[in-house]
Amino acid sequence: SYELTQPLSVSVALGQTARITCGGNNIGSKNVHWYQQKPGQAPVLVIYRDSNRPSGIPERFSGSNSGNTATLTISRAQAGDEADYYCQVWDSSSYVFGTGTKVTVL
Amino acid sequence: EVQLVETGGGLIQPGGSLRLSCAASGFTVSSNYMSWVRQAPGKGLEWVSVIYSGGSTYYADSVKGRFTISRDNSKNTLYLQMNSLRAEDTAVYYCAKAATVMGAFDIWGQGTMVTVSS
């Protein structure tokens, strides 16, 4: 079965840039989606199809996908960006989530 | 307003059964790809099952043969019938909508907690 690997945690200084990676075999050939989840809340879609932002998501969130790694970038990080982030793809009639990354804003 | 509302969670003994419901508003369940996703306490997201707009259903290996996904078009509601429940099924269960088979889950419910314990 397909697997997606993310770093357990990422720390970023207030106002700086955080990059969260999502590794998978030839993930560049798949559509990658990213979700933000805050404690006690349902996940929220922040990036779809590699690099597209849903309405209401700040431009500070961006994404890329190539080769074996997809990346979610959070620019000018704010305290409100502290959350868990998950990547996700569709593979062979099933959906796969990454292991999740906790982002801490210092 | 586009939203999903899950109900039916609770405390159930191992080996028992439970049916979760997910009522949709603002869109048509049968025209979309509807999934159940769960999250065990302190753990990550795990996809459980999907029903395609055409009616095909698929399951994670961890629940295959025990869980059944279905929908009632007249009620615009998604269901998850869970049988032979195990302690490891304890989780918050979310229903989620995708517009296409490879699409993102753009709408999520608030979740319902299922606790399997004696």
Short mmCIF file of all heavy atoms in Angstrom, two decimals, chain B residues 3 8 10 12 14 32 36 43 46 49 51 58 61 67 79 84 86-87 90 98 107 112 116:
data_model
loop_
_atom_site.label_atom_id
_atom_site.label_comp_id
_atom_site.label_asym_id
_atom_site.label_seq_id
_atom_site.Cartn_x
_atom_site.Cartn_y
_atom_site.Cartn_z
N GLN B 3 -22.91 21.97 4.69
CA GLN B 3 -22.39 21.39 5.91
C GLN B 3 -22.72 19.91 6.04
O GLN B 3 -23.61 19.40 5.36
CB GLN B 3 -22.88 22.13 7.15
CG GLN B 3 -24.35 22.03 7.44
CD GLN B 3 -24.70 22.67 8.79
OE1 GLN B 3 -23.84 23.13 9.55
NE2 GLN B 3 -25.98 22.71 9.10
N GLY B 8 -24.60 9.60 16.13
CA GLY B 8 -24.61 8.16 16.33
C GLY B 8 -23.46 7.59 17.12
O GLY B 8 -23.45 6.39 17.42
N GLY B 10 -20.86 6.92 20.38
CA GLY B 10 -21.14 6.60 21.78
C GLY B 10 -20.21 5.52 22.29
O GLY B 10 -19.24 5.16 21.64
N ILE B 12 -19.61 1.69 23.28
CA ILE B 12 -20.11 0.39 22.87
C ILE B 12 -19.11 -0.67 23.31
O ILE B 12 -17.90 -0.43 23.33
CB ILE B 12 -20.33 0.35 21.34
CG1 ILE B 12 -21.03 -0.94 20.91
CG2 ILE B 12 -19.04 0.56 20.61
CD1 ILE B 12 -22.48 -0.96 21.23
N PRO B 14 -16.92 -4.17 23.16
CA PRO B 14 -16.26 -4.93 22.08
C PRO B 14 -17.19 -6.00 21.53
O PRO B 14 -17.89 -6.68 22.27
CB PRO B 14 -15.04 -5.54 22.78
CG PRO B 14 -14.75 -4.62 23.91
CD PRO B 14 -16.09 -4.12 24.38
N ASN B 32 -21.61 13.24 -5.17
CA ASN B 32 -20.24 13.44 -4.72
C ASN B 32 -19.62 12.13 -4.24
O ASN B 32 -20.26 11.09 -4.23
CB ASN B 32 -20.22 14.47 -3.59
CG ASN B 32 -20.51 15.88 -4.09
OD1 ASN B 32 -19.63 16.59 -4.54
ND2 ASN B 32 -21.78 16.28 -4.01
N TRP B 36 -15.70 8.31 4.99
CA TRP B 36 -15.55 8.35 6.44
C TRP B 36 -14.05 8.31 6.74
O TRP B 36 -13.31 7.50 6.16
CB TRP B 36 -16.25 7.18 7.11
CG TRP B 36 -17.74 7.28 7.07
CD1 TRP B 36 -18.59 6.71 6.17
CD2 TRP B 36 -18.57 8.00 8.00
NE1 TRP B 36 -19.88 7.04 6.46
CE2 TRP B 36 -19.90 7.83 7.59
CE3 TRP B 36 -18.32 8.77 9.14
CZ2 TRP B 36 -20.97 8.38 8.27
CZ3 TRP B 36 -19.39 9.33 9.82
CH2 TRP B 36 -20.70 9.14 9.38
N LYS B 43 -3.78 10.47 17.70
CA LYS B 43 -3.18 9.90 16.49
C LYS B 43 -3.56 10.71 15.25
O LYS B 43 -4.27 11.70 15.33
CB LYS B 43 -3.64 8.44 16.31
CG LYS B 43 -3.29 7.54 17.47
CD LYS B 43 -1.79 7.43 17.71
CE LYS B 43 -1.48 6.44 18.81
NZ LYS B 43 -0.01 6.38 19.10
N GLU B 46 -7.00 8.67 9.53
CA GLU B 46 -7.03 7.38 8.84
C GLU B 46 -8.30 7.30 8.00
O GLU B 46 -9.41 7.36 8.55
CB GLU B 46 -6.99 6.21 9.82
CG GLU B 46 -7.04 4.86 9.13
CD GLU B 46 -7.23 3.68 10.09
OE1 GLU B 46 -7.62 3.91 11.25
OE2 GLU B 46 -6.99 2.54 9.68
N SER B 49 -13.53 4.57 4.60
CA SER B 49 -14.37 4.04 3.55
C SER B 49 -14.86 5.16 2.65
O SER B 49 -14.90 6.33 3.06
CB SER B 49 -15.59 3.31 4.15
OG SER B 49 -16.44 2.79 3.14
N ILE B 51 -17.89 5.97 -0.66
CA ILE B 51 -18.92 5.58 -1.61
C ILE B 51 -18.88 6.58 -2.75
O ILE B 51 -18.97 7.79 -2.55
CB ILE B 51 -20.33 5.49 -0.98
CG1 ILE B 51 -21.35 5.00 -2.00
CG2 ILE B 51 -20.75 6.79 -0.31
CD1 ILE B 51 -22.69 4.56 -1.37
N TYR B 58 -15.61 1.27 -1.26
CA TYR B 58 -14.27 0.77 -0.97
C TYR B 58 -13.98 0.98 0.51
O TYR B 58 -14.51 1.90 1.13
CB TYR B 58 -13.24 1.48 -1.84
CG TYR B 58 -13.46 1.27 -3.32
CD1 TYR B 58 -14.22 2.17 -4.05
CD2 TYR B 58 -12.95 0.15 -3.97
CE1 TYR B 58 -14.46 1.98 -5.40
CE2 TYR B 58 -13.18 -0.05 -5.33
CZ TYR B 58 -13.93 0.86 -6.02
OH TYR B 58 -14.17 0.66 -7.37
N ASP B 61 -8.30 -1.77 4.66
CA ASP B 61 -8.14 -3.16 5.06
C ASP B 61 -8.53 -3.38 6.53
O ASP B 61 -9.02 -4.44 6.89
CB ASP B 61 -6.69 -3.60 4.83
CG ASP B 61 -6.36 -3.77 3.36
OD1 ASP B 61 -7.30 -3.86 2.53
OD2 ASP B 61 -5.16 -3.81 3.03
N PHE B 67 -17.27 -3.18 8.42
CA PHE B 67 -17.98 -1.90 8.25
C PHE B 67 -18.65 -1.87 6.88
O PHE B 67 -18.14 -2.45 5.91
CB PHE B 67 -17.01 -0.73 8.33
CG PHE B 67 -16.44 -0.46 9.70
CD1 PHE B 67 -16.59 -1.35 10.76
CD2 PHE B 67 -15.74 0.72 9.95
CE1 PHE B 67 -16.06 -1.10 12.02
CE2 PHE B 67 -15.21 1.00 11.20
CZ PHE B 67 -15.36 0.08 12.22
N TYR B 79 -24.18 6.93 5.71
CA TYR B 79 -24.15 6.07 6.90
C TYR B 79 -22.86 5.25 6.95
O TYR B 79 -22.22 5.01 5.93
CB TYR B 79 -25.34 5.10 6.89
CG TYR B 79 -26.69 5.77 6.87
CD1 TYR B 79 -27.41 5.91 5.68
CD2 TYR B 79 -27.25 6.29 8.04
CE1 TYR B 79 -28.64 6.53 5.65
CE2 TYR B 79 -28.49 6.91 8.02
CZ TYR B 79 -29.17 7.03 6.82
OH TYR B 79 -30.39 7.65 6.80
N SER B 84 -18.89 -5.88 14.78
CA SER B 84 -17.72 -6.55 15.37
C SER B 84 -16.68 -5.53 15.82
O SER B 84 -15.48 -5.66 15.51
CB SER B 84 -17.11 -7.53 14.36
OG SER B 84 -18.06 -8.47 13.93
N ARG B 86 -13.99 -3.30 17.73
CA ARG B 86 -12.80 -3.63 18.52
C ARG B 86 -12.31 -2.37 19.25
O ARG B 86 -12.64 -1.25 18.84
CB ARG B 86 -11.69 -4.14 17.60
CG ARG B 86 -12.10 -5.29 16.69
CD ARG B 86 -11.05 -5.48 15.60
NE ARG B 86 -11.38 -6.60 14.70
CZ ARG B 86 -10.77 -6.82 13.54
NH1 ARG B 86 -9.80 -6.01 13.14
NH2 ARG B 86 -11.15 -7.85 12.80
N ALA B 87 -11.50 -2.57 20.25
CA ALA B 87 -10.95 -1.43 20.99
C ALA B 87 -10.21 -0.47 20.04
O ALA B 87 -10.26 0.75 20.22
CB ALA B 87 -10.03 -1.92 22.09
N THR B 90 -11.80 2.65 18.38
CA THR B 90 -12.06 3.87 19.15
C THR B 90 -11.45 5.07 18.47
O THR B 90 -10.23 5.10 18.21
CB THR B 90 -11.50 3.72 20.58
OG1 THR B 90 -12.21 2.69 21.26
CG2 THR B 90 -11.62 5.03 21.34
N ALA B 98 -15.79 14.83 -1.20
CA ALA B 98 -14.89 15.19 -2.30
C ALA B 98 -15.74 15.30 -3.56
O ALA B 98 -16.67 14.51 -3.76
CB ALA B 98 -13.80 14.14 -2.47
N ILE B 107 -15.20 19.50 2.32
CA ILE B 107 -16.16 19.71 3.39
C ILE B 107 -16.04 18.56 4.40
O ILE B 107 -16.04 17.40 3.98
CB ILE B 107 -17.61 19.79 2.87
CG1 ILE B 107 -17.74 20.89 1.82
CG2 ILE B 107 -18.58 20.03 4.03
CD1 ILE B 107 -17.51 22.29 2.34
N THR B 112 -17.89 12.59 15.27
CA THR B 112 -18.62 11.94 16.36
C THR B 112 -17.71 10.89 16.98
O THR B 112 -17.03 10.15 16.26
CB THR B 112 -19.94 11.33 15.85
OG1 THR B 112 -20.70 10.84 16.96
CG2 THR B 112 -19.71 10.18 14.86
N VAL B 116 -14.96 2.14 22.07
CA VAL B 116 -15.21 0.70 22.20
C VAL B 116 -14.48 0.21 23.45
O VAL B 116 -13.25 0.14 23.49
CB VAL B 116 -14.74 -0.08 20.96
CG1 VAL B 116 -15.11 -1.56 21.10
CG2 VAL B 116 -15.35 0.52 19.71
#
